[in-house]
Amino acid sequence: MEKLANLEKALGYTFSDPSLLEQALTHRSHNARHNERFEFLGDAILNFVVASLLFHQFPKVDEGDLSRLRANLVKQASLAEIAQNLNLSNFLRLGEGELKSGGFRRPSILADALEAVFGAVFLDQGFDAARKVIGGLYAPKLENVDPKTLGKDPKTLLQEVLQGRKLELPQYTVVGTHGAAHNQMFDVECSVPKLDIKVTASGSSRRAAEQLAATQVIALIQQMAPAKGAAGRARARKNAQLTLPVAVSQENK
Amino acid sequence: MEKLANLEKALGYTFSDPSLLEQALTHRSHNARHNERFEFLGDAILNFVVASLLFHQFPKVDEGDLSRLRANLVKQASLAEIAQNLNLSNFLRLGEGELKSGGFRRPSILADALEAVFGAVFLDQGFDAARKVIGGLYAPKLENVDPKTLGKDPKTLLQEVLQGRKLELPQYTVVGTHGAAHNQMFDVECSVPKLDIKVTASGSSRRAAEQLAATQVIALIQQMAPAKGAAGRARARKNAQLTLPVAVSQENK
């Protein structure tokens, strides 16, 4: 196991009481003195610190959008990514079963341990120390937050893109299903007639296929950029054929 | 409108920048400079401060129970109760529509404004000031927290009480419905044969009636206290007849 000092270096924080860090890294499968209570505390301080960072960074963004941004930043996948950058899995204390089944790679275990580390920092030296550690780890993510898009699902984004261009809503149609009953795949077509776009995508649920199709349509529209007049439409059509499995419809109207 | 200084007195906190308190008390129906962003911040700091108070007050309680306790302490009804003790409605700034419809009494508006006040304290003088205000207001509630019961619904509690006495689970039976279709009432009987208890309660849903019946059964069992042997059962039967609309069943074995 790697030395804890290396993790402290990555965190930019040295513990007064290193046993707090040890407990934060201990999964319940390893020891009764495990990290779940720390995780409860760390989750709460993380939510608050990220709320306060977003509040100051985006003085004009309303509370609904702030909530969406925060949800995206503190979700398991975001935490697991930060944990991976810290090589947190090298420091985890897992029980044998979890070790054998690769628990040190599981996003949930990584995310929980990272929250527990935040809790441990708070217990060790208080709020300002925890805020500093969280702020440091989140700085790169916060720099790249686009409040208009982060955390929105592709269907919502596509709808907003089209509304911004005063175009009608996209149409989603299930054009096929295949696979066994317990493992069915759905083919969904998403069409935007005014832009000559038709994309078909597959997913394990209707919703998943719709989201994937919407993602592809957004990519197409972004390539088209101005998308005004015949030239824009022609370029769009060409790009579509080049880059994605798109069936180009005959022009509607 | 009452002077803000009176509210500051009740909060035990004086604002360096009173305009923050004003904004915290301003509903969106009143002014564009309203309290919803403050509420986002205040909700987060409240969740964290209560988490940290519970963490220290209950060193042996696990994270699942800590979450349940916190959820109960920060829920709308708990916040609205604190807001009422502060006479917060006397200080709210509402639009005309909300004023006429009695918005200053609405639990959601009161709870949101109180969270916004916590956010405003944090913006005014930082974390320690907010923690002190929240800790002061929550002290009486925290003194009375019983981690075994707070926030558990009556059916769960009854189940635990019976399991603690190695008794079988209670039986819930819908024994009648009445009222018009859009406003139906359900009569549910909850029985614990081994204790000779049968209680019938009514509610606007099956679940509501079950919860109410469970509440009454718990009260009966608490009166019975030791509830072992014939004397206990006889006392139980007597209490039941005295205090609640209970039909006593013939002894099941």
Side-chain angles (χ1 to χ4, degrees), chain A residues 104-157:
Chain A
F104 50 88
R105 280 192 304 267
R106 274 230 300 282
S108 62
I109 288 183
L110 287 169
D112 292 353
L114 182 58
E115 288 186 330
V117 168
F118 297 152
V121 173
F122 171 71
L123 292 171
D124 193 53
Q125 283 184 33
F127 177 71
D128 284 331
R131 177 168 58 179
K132 215 167 148 187
V133 168
I134 294 168
L137 295 176
Y138 268 90
K141 282 185 183 290
L142 284 163
E143 270 170 33
N144 293 316
V145 165
D146 178 351
K148 288 208 182 94
T149 58
L150 182 72
K152 282 186 185 166
D153 69 278
K155 283 181 71 178
T156 304
L157 277 178

Side-chain angles (χ1 to χ4, degrees), chain B residues 34-74:
Chain B
H34 57 68
N35 64 9
E36 291 188 1
R37 277 172 49 91
F38 286 17
E39 178 205 335
F40 167 74
L41 201 54
D43 172 84
I45 195 168
L46 172 67
N47 269 282
F48 170 55
V49 169
V50 172
S52 121
L53 292 170
L54 288 169
F55 182 94
H56 288 103
Q57 185 171 344
F58 299 109
K60 304 282 182 191
V61 169
D62 74 26
E63 55 295 341
D65 287 338
L66 291 173
S67 291
R68 166 172 52 80
L69 298 179
R70 181 178 56 177
N72 188 274
L73 290 167
V74 305

